[in-house]
Amino acid sequence: MSSGYLVRPVTVTAAKAWVRQVHRHLPEIQGGLFASSVWNEDGPAAMGIAINPPRVWLGTGRIVIGRVAAIEGLEPVGDHAAPACTMTYASLCRAAKALGWREAWTYTLPGESGASLRAAGFIYMGETRGEEWDRPSRRRKAAVSPAKKGRWMRVLAPTPRSKAP
């Protein structure tokens, strides 16, 4: 293992509690399928949580990495990837692939460079439309962060081809 970091398993409950203390702008997260943590000699350096995809993605093989948080000073700065963040994204992708997911998706704020995502093999897919989740049939509080976000995707496994008749 390089850079003095080590990937360790963690429960979703423990990761959510840690993210609640560390994440700089959006500490709460709904649900969680599995989680990963990266440690250094001082303790946990970063944790991430994979969540259920939106309902419209069910059956598509897509999973969402809902949150990755690193302790201050170990986060990406400018175009420089932070090893703990990159390792967290990469470990969540390896776990998702092992569980049969074909693509991993995640989102960043407009001011975030995405350096750790690029280092973990993600491709920038453009900006979201910036819609709110609130609907007349399903009321939600307004977003805490800007509505438009950067969308990132990493292919985990090729899309299976259907057999010709």
Side-chain angles (χ1 to χ4, degrees):
M1 175 99 271
S2 63
S3 70
Y5 293 98
L6 179 65
V7 175
R8 291 187 179 173
V10 65
T11 65
V12 170
T13 301
K16 285 171 74 171
W18 194 84
V19 166
R20 197 173 300 117
Q21 294 175 357
V22 173
H23 201 273
R24 64 181 177 264
H25 65 88
L26 201 56
E28 291 298 325
I29 185 166
Q30 286 289 333
L33 296 175
F34 55 91
S36 179
S37 67
V38 173
W39 293 60
N40 64 17
E41 61 278 354
D42 298 325
M47 291 194 191
I49 305 164
I51 62 174
N52 276 317
R55 188 172 56 90
V56 296
W57 281 7
L58 292 179
T60 65
R62 296 173 179 165
I63 192 163
V64 175
I65 296 176
R67 201 77 81 244
V68 169
I71 58 174
E72 197 168 329
L74 296 177
E75 299 168 334
V77 177
D79 285 333
H80 301 287
C85 288
T86 301
M87 290 175 69
T88 303
Y89 282 115
S91 65
L92 288 167
C93 286
R94 286 190 304 273
K97 181 178 180 178
L99 291 169
W101 298 96
R102 291 191 342 264
E103 295 175 355
W105 290 71
T106 195
Y107 301 85
T108 57
L109 294 178
E112 296 174 326
S113 73
S116 290
L117 288 162
R118 282 192 303 280
F122 281 78
I123 299 166
Y124 184 68
M125 303 300 289
E127 197 173 70
T128 65
R129 291 187 306 231
E131 296 179 287
E132 290 288 340
W133 287 100
D134 185 45
R135 300 287 185 272
S137 62
R138 179 182 33 106
R139 303 316 275 175
R140 298 287 191 271
K141 289 190 282 186
V144 177
S145 58
K148 287 191 176 188
K149 296 180 177 68
R151 181 184 292 126
W152 298 80
M153 187 266 297
R154 177 176 164 179
V155 174
L156 305 175
T159 303
R161 296 178 184 240
S162 59
K163 294 182 180 181

